[in-house]
mmCIF file of all heavy atoms in Angstrom:
data_model
loop_
_atom_site.group_PDB
_atom_site.id
_atom_site.type_symbol
_atom_site.label_atom_id
_atom_site.label_comp_id
_atom_site.label_asym_id
_atom_site.label_seq_id
_atom_site.Cartn_x
_atom_site.Cartn_y
_atom_site.Cartn_z
ATOM 1 N N ALA R 884 3.767 29.766 0.150
ATOM 2 C CA ALA R 884 4.631 30.946 0.187
ATOM 3 C C ALA R 884 4.424 31.661 1.508
ATOM 4 O O ALA R 884 3.407 31.468 2.178
ATOM 5 C CB ALA R 884 4.314 31.865 -0.980
ATOM 6 N N ASP R 885 5.402 32.472 1.871
ATOM 7 C CA ASP R 885 5.380 33.197 3.152
ATOM 8 C C ASP R 885 6.032 34.559 3.005
ATOM 9 O O ASP R 885 6.879 34.753 2.139
ATOM 10 C CB ASP R 885 6.226 32.421 4.182
ATOM 11 C CG ASP R 885 5.373 31.542 5.080
ATOM 12 O OD1 ASP R 885 4.154 31.795 5.158
ATOM 13 O OD2 ASP R 885 5.936 30.609 5.682
ATOM 14 N N ILE R 886 5.633 35.441 3.946
ATOM 15 C CA ILE R 886 6.413 36.660 4.143
ATOM 16 C C ILE R 886 7.619 36.222 4.975
ATOM 17 O O ILE R 886 7.442 35.630 6.046
ATOM 18 C CB ILE R 886 5.603 37.718 4.926
ATOM 19 C CG1 ILE R 886 4.334 38.091 4.157
ATOM 20 C CG2 ILE R 886 6.465 38.950 5.220
ATOM 21 C CD1 ILE R 886 3.353 38.936 4.969
ATOM 22 N N VAL R 887 8.827 36.439 4.463
ATOM 23 C CA VAL R 887 10.007 35.914 5.146
ATOM 24 C C VAL R 887 10.088 36.473 6.574
ATOM 25 O O VAL R 887 10.031 37.686 6.777
ATOM 26 C CB VAL R 887 11.284 36.241 4.338
ATOM 27 C CG1 VAL R 887 12.536 35.848 5.112
ATOM 28 C CG2 VAL R 887 11.244 35.516 2.988
ATOM 29 N N GLN R 888 10.149 35.571 7.530
ATOM 30 C CA GLN R 888 10.199 35.878 8.971
ATOM 31 C C GLN R 888 9.015 36.720 9.442
ATOM 32 O O GLN R 888 9.073 37.329 10.509
ATOM 33 C CB GLN R 888 11.519 36.569 9.330
ATOM 34 C CG GLN R 888 12.695 35.620 9.113
ATOM 35 C CD GLN R 888 14.028 36.257 9.448
ATOM 36 O OE1 GLN R 888 14.195 37.468 9.296
ATOM 37 N NE2 GLN R 888 14.958 35.435 9.894
ATOM 38 N N GLY R 889 7.967 36.820 8.627
ATOM 39 C CA GLY R 889 6.801 37.622 9.015
ATOM 40 C C GLY R 889 7.154 39.092 9.194
ATOM 41 O O GLY R 889 6.451 39.830 9.881
ATOM 42 N N GLU R 890 8.235 39.503 8.573
ATOM 43 C CA GLU R 890 8.764 40.845 8.848
ATOM 44 C C GLU R 890 8.351 41.847 7.765
ATOM 45 O O GLU R 890 8.518 41.578 6.572
ATOM 46 C CB GLU R 890 10.294 40.768 8.901
ATOM 47 C CG GLU R 890 10.920 42.080 9.339
ATOM 48 C CD GLU R 890 12.452 42.002 9.425
ATOM 49 O OE1 GLU R 890 13.052 41.194 8.675
ATOM 50 O OE2 GLU R 890 13.014 42.759 10.213
ATOM 51 N N VAL R 891 7.792 42.992 8.236
ATOM 52 C CA VAL R 891 7.462 44.088 7.327
ATOM 53 C C VAL R 891 8.082 45.334 7.955
ATOM 54 O O VAL R 891 7.717 45.708 9.073
ATOM 55 C CB VAL R 891 5.933 44.278 7.183
ATOM 56 C CG1 VAL R 891 5.625 45.349 6.149
ATOM 57 C CG2 VAL R 891 5.253 42.961 6.824
ATOM 58 N N THR R 892 9.034 45.952 7.312
ATOM 59 C CA THR R 892 9.585 47.187 7.889
ATOM 60 C C THR R 892 8.734 48.351 7.399
ATOM 61 O O THR R 892 8.344 48.406 6.232
ATOM 62 C CB THR R 892 11.054 47.413 7.488
ATOM 63 O OG1 THR R 892 11.101 47.590 6.078
ATOM 64 C CG2 THR R 892 11.934 46.237 7.863
ATOM 65 N N THR R 912 8.916 47.698 3.331
ATOM 66 C CA THR R 912 9.522 46.633 2.521
ATOM 67 C C THR R 912 9.223 45.285 3.185
ATOM 68 O O THR R 912 9.087 45.198 4.415
ATOM 69 C CB THR R 912 11.063 46.757 2.387
ATOM 70 O OG1 THR R 912 11.633 46.727 3.687
ATOM 71 C CG2 THR R 912 11.484 47.991 1.647
ATOM 72 N N ALA R 913 9.128 44.268 2.338
ATOM 73 C CA ALA R 913 8.938 42.887 2.809
ATOM 74 C C ALA R 913 9.512 41.961 1.740
ATOM 75 O O ALA R 913 9.672 42.363 0.592
ATOM 76 C CB ALA R 913 7.459 42.588 3.038
ATOM 77 N N THR R 914 9.821 40.728 2.159
ATOM 78 C CA THR R 914 10.323 39.746 1.205
ATOM 79 C C THR R 914 9.390 38.543 1.209
ATOM 80 O O THR R 914 8.974 38.082 2.278
ATOM 81 C CB THR R 914 11.752 39.299 1.585
ATOM 82 O OG1 THR R 914 12.566 40.469 1.678
ATOM 83 C CG2 THR R 914 12.339 38.360 0.542
ATOM 84 N N ILE R 915 9.041 38.075 0.029
ATOM 85 C CA ILE R 915 8.138 36.921 -0.105
ATOM 86 C C ILE R 915 8.959 35.752 -0.652
ATOM 87 O O ILE R 915 9.760 35.924 -1.580
ATOM 88 C CB ILE R 915 6.989 37.224 -1.094
ATOM 89 C CG1 ILE R 915 6.310 38.557 -0.754
ATOM 90 C CG2 ILE R 915 5.994 36.062 -1.137
ATOM 91 C CD1 ILE R 915 5.767 38.673 0.646
ATOM 92 N N GLU R 916 8.761 34.573 -0.053
ATOM 93 C CA GLU R 916 9.472 33.394 -0.544
ATOM 94 C C GLU R 916 8.478 32.309 -0.957
ATOM 95 O O GLU R 916 7.541 31.993 -0.225
ATOM 96 C CB GLU R 916 10.399 32.827 0.537
ATOM 97 C CG GLU R 916 11.157 31.619 0.017
ATOM 98 C CD GLU R 916 12.162 31.054 1.000
ATOM 99 O OE1 GLU R 916 12.332 31.645 2.091
ATOM 100 O OE2 GLU R 916 12.763 30.022 0.679
ATOM 101 N N ASN R 917 8.723 31.759 -2.135
ATOM 102 C CA ASN R 917 7.955 30.590 -2.583
ATOM 103 C C ASN R 917 8.713 29.354 -2.121
ATOM 104 O O ASN R 917 9.743 29.003 -2.673
ATOM 105 C CB ASN R 917 7.817 30.602 -4.120
ATOM 106 C CG ASN R 917 7.053 29.378 -4.634
ATOM 107 O OD1 ASN R 917 6.835 28.413 -3.894
ATOM 108 N ND2 ASN R 917 6.658 29.419 -5.900
ATOM 109 N N TYR R 918 8.203 28.693 -1.080
ATOM 110 C CA TYR R 918 8.900 27.511 -0.565
ATOM 111 C C TYR R 918 8.182 26.216 -0.960
ATOM 112 O O TYR R 918 8.485 25.136 -0.463
ATOM 113 C CB TYR R 918 9.096 27.604 0.952
ATOM 114 C CG TYR R 918 7.834 27.526 1.767
ATOM 115 C CD1 TYR R 918 7.407 26.308 2.287
ATOM 116 C CD2 TYR R 918 7.073 28.655 2.032
ATOM 117 C CE1 TYR R 918 6.246 26.218 3.026
ATOM 118 C CE2 TYR R 918 5.911 28.580 2.765
ATOM 119 C CZ TYR R 918 5.499 27.367 3.265
ATOM 120 O OH TYR R 918 4.342 27.281 3.989
ATOM 121 N N PHE R 961 1.114 40.732 -1.941
ATOM 122 C CA PHE R 961 1.397 41.246 -0.604
ATOM 123 C C PHE R 961 0.501 42.454 -0.404
ATOM 124 O O PHE R 961 0.244 43.208 -1.351
ATOM 125 C CB PHE R 961 2.881 41.653 -0.486
ATOM 126 C CG PHE R 961 3.165 42.331 0.821
ATOM 127 C CD1 PHE R 961 3.409 41.583 1.968
ATOM 128 C CD2 PHE R 961 3.143 43.725 0.921
ATOM 129 C CE1 PHE R 961 3.622 42.209 3.197
ATOM 130 C CE2 PHE R 961 3.355 44.352 2.145
ATOM 131 C CZ PHE R 961 3.605 43.586 3.276
ATOM 132 N N VAL R 979 4.097 40.218 -5.663
ATOM 133 C CA VAL R 979 4.970 39.611 -4.646
ATOM 134 C C VAL R 979 6.458 39.735 -4.993
ATOM 135 O O VAL R 979 7.303 39.108 -4.327
ATOM 136 C CB VAL R 979 4.626 38.130 -4.367
ATOM 137 C CG1 VAL R 979 3.231 37.996 -3.777
ATOM 138 C CG2 VAL R 979 4.773 37.289 -5.633
ATOM 139 N N LEU R 998 6.242 33.790 -9.396
ATOM 140 C CA LEU R 998 7.414 33.633 -8.535
ATOM 141 C C LEU R 998 7.647 32.130 -8.453
ATOM 142 O O LEU R 998 6.794 31.383 -7.954
ATOM 143 C CB LEU R 998 7.151 34.227 -7.146
ATOM 144 C CG LEU R 998 8.336 34.202 -6.164
ATOM 145 C CD1 LEU R 998 9.480 35.103 -6.651
ATOM 146 C CD2 LEU R 998 7.875 34.662 -4.761
ATOM 147 N N GLY R 1001 11.313 28.211 -4.757
ATOM 148 C CA GLY R 1001 12.651 28.504 -4.259
ATOM 149 C C GLY R 1001 13.080 29.959 -4.435
ATOM 150 O O GLY R 1001 14.133 30.368 -3.938
ATOM 151 N N LYS R 1002 12.259 30.774 -5.117
ATOM 152 C CA LYS R 1002 12.652 32.177 -5.376
ATOM 153 C C LYS R 1002 12.062 33.110 -4.313
ATOM 154 O O LYS R 1002 11.035 32.820 -3.703
ATOM 155 C CB LYS R 1002 12.138 32.620 -6.752
ATOM 156 C CG LYS R 1002 12.690 31.828 -7.904
ATOM 157 C CD LYS R 1002 14.044 32.347 -8.319
ATOM 158 C CE LYS R 1002 14.457 31.697 -9.618
ATOM 159 N NZ LYS R 1002 15.886 31.592 -9.787
ATOM 160 N N ARG R 1003 12.764 34.249 -4.176
ATOM 161 C CA ARG R 1003 12.268 35.307 -3.293
ATOM 162 C C ARG R 1003 11.938 36.543 -4.113
ATOM 163 O O ARG R 1003 12.608 36.812 -5.114
ATOM 164 C CB ARG R 1003 13.339 35.676 -2.261
ATOM 165 C CG ARG R 1003 13.498 34.599 -1.203
ATOM 166 C CD ARG R 1003 14.480 35.031 -0.149
ATOM 167 N NE ARG R 1003 14.426 34.113 0.982
ATOM 168 C CZ ARG R 1003 14.924 34.388 2.181
ATOM 169 N NH1 ARG R 1003 15.520 35.557 2.412
ATOM 170 N NH2 ARG R 1003 14.839 33.507 3.164
ATOM 171 N N GLY R 1004 10.940 37.278 -3.655
ATOM 172 C CA GLY R 1004 10.567 38.528 -4.303
ATOM 173 C C GLY R 1004 10.628 39.661 -3.296
ATOM 174 O O GLY R 1004 10.243 39.479 -2.131
ATOM 175 N N LEU R 1005 11.106 40.791 -3.745
ATOM 176 C CA LEU R 1005 11.186 41.970 -2.867
ATOM 177 C C LEU R 1005 10.004 42.882 -3.168
ATOM 178 O O LEU R 1005 9.729 43.189 -4.329
ATOM 179 C CB LEU R 1005 12.506 42.709 -3.112
ATOM 180 C CG LEU R 1005 12.745 43.938 -2.226
ATOM 181 C CD1 LEU R 1005 12.921 43.530 -0.765
ATOM 182 C CD2 LEU R 1005 13.955 44.719 -2.722
ATOM 183 N N VAL R 1006 9.309 43.292 -2.107
ATOM 184 C CA VAL R 1006 8.155 44.182 -2.248
ATOM 185 C C VAL R 1006 8.413 45.446 -1.460
ATOM 186 O O VAL R 1006 8.891 45.377 -0.322
ATOM 187 C CB VAL R 1006 6.854 43.527 -1.703
ATOM 188 C CG1 VAL R 1006 5.645 44.333 -2.115
ATOM 189 C CG2 VAL R 1006 6.724 42.090 -2.168
ATOM 190 N N GLY R 1026 0.057 41.234 5.136
ATOM 191 C CA GLY R 1026 -0.531 39.903 4.907
ATOM 192 C C GLY R 1026 -0.180 39.458 3.498
ATOM 193 O O GLY R 1026 0.089 40.284 2.626
ATOM 194 N N LEU R 1027 -0.135 38.147 3.343
ATOM 195 C CA LEU R 1027 0.120 37.604 2.015
ATOM 196 C C LEU R 1027 -1.194 36.986 1.543
ATOM 197 O O LEU R 1027 -1.695 36.040 2.146
ATOM 198 C CB LEU R 1027 1.231 36.551 2.084
ATOM 199 C CG LEU R 1027 1.620 35.893 0.758
ATOM 200 C CD1 LEU R 1027 2.080 36.939 -0.269
ATOM 201 C CD2 LEU R 1027 2.717 34.852 0.990
ATOM 202 N N PHE R 1035 -2.521 34.424 4.051
ATOM 203 C CA PHE R 1035 -1.409 33.846 4.816
ATOM 204 C C PHE R 1035 -0.713 34.962 5.584
ATOM 205 O O PHE R 1035 -0.696 36.105 5.149
ATOM 206 C CB PHE R 1035 -0.419 33.158 3.878
ATOM 207 C CG PHE R 1035 -1.013 31.947 3.204
ATOM 208 C CD1 PHE R 1035 -1.609 32.056 1.953
ATOM 209 C CD2 PHE R 1035 -1.013 30.722 3.844
ATOM 210 C CE1 PHE R 1035 -2.179 30.948 1.347
ATOM 211 C CE2 PHE R 1035 -1.584 29.604 3.237
ATOM 212 C CZ PHE R 1035 -2.161 29.729 1.982
ATOM 213 N N ASN R 1036 -0.106 34.604 6.679
ATOM 214 C CA ASN R 1036 0.664 35.548 7.488
ATOM 215 C C ASN R 1036 -0.149 36.810 7.813
ATOM 216 O O ASN R 1036 0.383 37.921 7.801
ATOM 217 C CB ASN R 1036 1.964 35.987 6.783
ATOM 218 C CG ASN R 1036 2.761 34.828 6.226
ATOM 219 O OD1 ASN R 1036 3.149 34.851 5.066
ATOM 220 N ND2 ASN R 1036 3.008 33.821 7.033
ATOM 221 N N ALA R 1039 0.884 40.215 10.034
ATOM 222 C CA ALA R 1039 2.348 40.179 10.073
ATOM 223 C C ALA R 1039 2.870 41.550 10.513
ATOM 224 O O ALA R 1039 2.483 42.585 9.965
ATOM 225 C CB ALA R 1039 2.903 39.822 8.694
ATOM 226 N N ASP R 1040 3.712 41.530 11.529
ATOM 227 C CA ASP R 1040 4.432 42.728 11.961
ATOM 228 C C ASP R 1040 3.501 43.910 12.258
ATOM 229 O O ASP R 1040 3.631 45.006 11.693
ATOM 230 C CB ASP R 1040 5.464 43.124 10.893
ATOM 231 C CG ASP R 1040 6.782 43.508 11.551
ATOM 232 O OD1 ASP R 1040 6.774 43.908 12.737
ATOM 233 O OD2 ASP R 1040 7.820 43.407 10.872
#
Side-chain angles (χ1 to χ4, degrees):
D885 263 341
I886 300 170
V887 173
Q888 295 180 329
E890 187 179 28
V891 185
T892 64
T912 59
T914 305
I915 310 304
E916 181 176 356
N917 179 347
Y918 68 95
F961 173 83
V979 296
L998 183 66
K1002 299 277 190 208
R1003 287 184 169 197
L1005 182 67
V1006 192
L1027 180 58
F1035 294 93
N1036 312 130
D1040 223 336

